[in-house]
Amino acid sequence: MRTIWLASYPKSGNTWFRMLVANLFATEGKAVDINNLPERGGIASARGPFDHLTLIDSGLLTHDEIDCLRPRVYEELAGGAQDDEYDRFGEAPPIRFVKVHDAYTMTPRGEPLLAGTRGADRAIVIVRDPRDVAPSQANHNGCTVDEAISLLNDDDAAQCAKPGRQHTQLRQKLCGWSGHVASWLDQQDIPVHLVRYEHLLTDTAAVFARALAFADFPVSAGQMTRAIALSDFAELDRQEREKGFGEASRAKGGRKFFRRGQAGAWRDELTERQVRGIESAHSVMMKRLGYELSTGTGVRMRGLEG
């Protein structure tokens, strides 16, 4: 069983990529149910598989204690271990595409949280312009854009880490947007393939095909064409409007998961001050990834404050 991590900072296109993969196997020209993907993988931070495979109630452990055990869980899953969630669809394909929002970090014991080569063969790293990530994350979390930018800029930020409550997922260290991307691109444990969300939008077939080739996952031209058509944003939006989406945030004020699905929408969603706040914190990584800075270039933005 080969495992491919689909690694990204939250709200960077990971879910859309998973829909594309799922729709490779759609039958009778019907899009897969967004709430019932025929996949073995889910998300690496899921609490259920951890509890099942360790035989420990993770609610009794600290975040650091959980992190020390997580590499063992990924080793077992990569070796073919199953639980009720992973075995829902009977015989599994020889490859698992697994969503990961964790930065590539080390456990308190000094080993890769995701178990290095024992946890996965490769990683497809999906990145998105942080200026588009911020308003999308604000919408998802039900917070202000300024609060989303603070999270984006916080090297110590983590998901599912609030004290006094048990989240459905395990803690995920984000390490800020730049730190998150760097952690994956600069690690030397497993090969990585970079996908820019903006390129996936404009040339879906070519970018998706290269990512699948990297994963050594051959598909036919017909499968590719069908998957792209069935994963169209309008179809995803239609399904969410009709029956909701299980991955949508339950946070107070959280809104639809599939929002705009556009590149460059930040130009009419962020103020100049907010753009400066993002670019000043992430200019080095943005330039490394080919994102042009706008501060001082006269690019139109929504206003000075807001």
Side-chain angles (χ1 to χ4, degrees):
M1 175 71 65
R2 292 190 300 117
T3 299
I4 307 295
W5 298 130
L6 298 180
S8 71
Y9 190 89
K11 307 307 296 179
S12 297
N14 199 311
T15 297
W16 181 38
F17 194 99
R18 289 166 56 227
M19 297 297 174
L20 286 165
V21 171
N23 276 309
L24 288 170
F25 306 100
T27 58
E28 301 177 356
K30 183 179 180 180
V32 296
D33 184 341
I34 62 175
N35 290 302
N36 196 27
L37 299 186
E39 64 177 20
R40 290 185 83 244
I43 187 166
S45 55
R47 188 176 292 273
F50 179 95
D51 289 3
H52 178 82
L53 291 172
T54 62
L55 301 180
I56 299 173
D57 182 348
S58 56
L60 301 175
L61 304 177
T62 66
H63 292 308
D64 284 350
E65 288 171 338
I66 290 172
D67 282 357
C68 288
L69 291 172
R70 283 178 68 177
R72 306 290 81 77
V73 171
Y74 304 130
E75 289 175 14
E76 289 297 312
L77 290 172
Q82 300 178 1
D83 62 20
D84 291 341
E85 175 185 355
Y86 285 83
D87 198 30
R88 286 182 300 162
F89 299 97
E91 185 176 354
I95 187 169
R96 300 167 57 239
F97 290 93
V98 184
K99 179 178 181 177
V100 181
H101 282 328
D102 300 85
Y104 198 91
T105 61
M106 300 294 141
T107 72
R109 293 177 178 172
E111 65 176 318
L113 177 74
L114 297 168
T117 56
R118 298 186 303 279
D121 292 76
R122 305 169 192 180
I124 295 172
V125 179
I126 306 167
V127 300
R128 185 183 187 186
D129 190 325
R131 294 165 296 193
D132 278 330
V133 170
S136 182
Q137 192 162 48
N139 175 81
H140 181 74
N141 291 349
C143 66
T144 67
V145 172
D146 285 339
E147 288 171 332
I149 292 172
S150 293
L151 184 69
L152 205 72
N153 296 352
D154 185 357
D155 293 342
D156 296 318
Q159 288 196 143
C160 301
K162 292 182 180 179
R165 58 177 296 188
Q166 180 169 308
H167 298 268
T168 57
Q169 294 182 28
L170 305 174
R171 177 184 66 179
Q172 301 144 70
K173 293 181 179 179
L174 300 179
C175 303
W177 182 82
S178 291
H180 189 285
V181 177
S183 74
W184 279 99
L185 297 186
D186 297 341
Q187 57 80 28
Q188 300 296 312
D189 294 332
I190 58 175
V192 300
H193 176 77
L194 180 65
V195 171
R196 261 184 51 166
Y197 177 75
E198 295 78 15
H199 293 164
L200 189 62
L201 277 175
T202 58
D203 196 0
T204 308
V207 174
F208 189 41
R210 287 194 293 269
L212 293 180
F214 167 79
D216 194 19
F217 190 59
V219 298
S220 69
Q223 283 180 293
M224 179 74 67
T225 300
R226 181 179 59 200
I228 293 171
L230 295 178
S231 304
D232 182 81
F233 184 81
E235 167 62 21
L236 304 179
D237 180 64
R238 180 193 67 78
Q239 287 199 42
E240 183 176 13
R241 283 187 287 103
E242 290 182 0
K243 54 192 173 186
F245 183 40
E247 294 184 27
S249 174
R250 293 176 175 81
K252 182 178 180 181
R255 300 175 180 87
K256 288 175 68 275
F257 187 94
F258 300 107
R259 192 176 64 104
R260 296 181 66 172
Q262 299 175 354
W266 60 268
R267 290 181 174 86
D268 57 43
E269 293 187 310
L270 300 181
T271 66
E272 183 177 353
R273 171 182 57 80
Q274 290 168 336
V275 172
R276 284 200 307 267
I278 294 172
E279 293 186 355
S280 63
H282 304 291
S283 59
V284 173
M285 182 56 70
M286 290 177 70
K287 291 177 181 178
R288 176 178 173 182
L289 297 175
Y291 292 117
E292 183 179 355
L293 302 183
S294 67
T295 304
T297 64
V299 174
R300 182 180 62 83
M301 289 171 279
R302 182 164 59 85
L304 291 178
E305 296 297 333

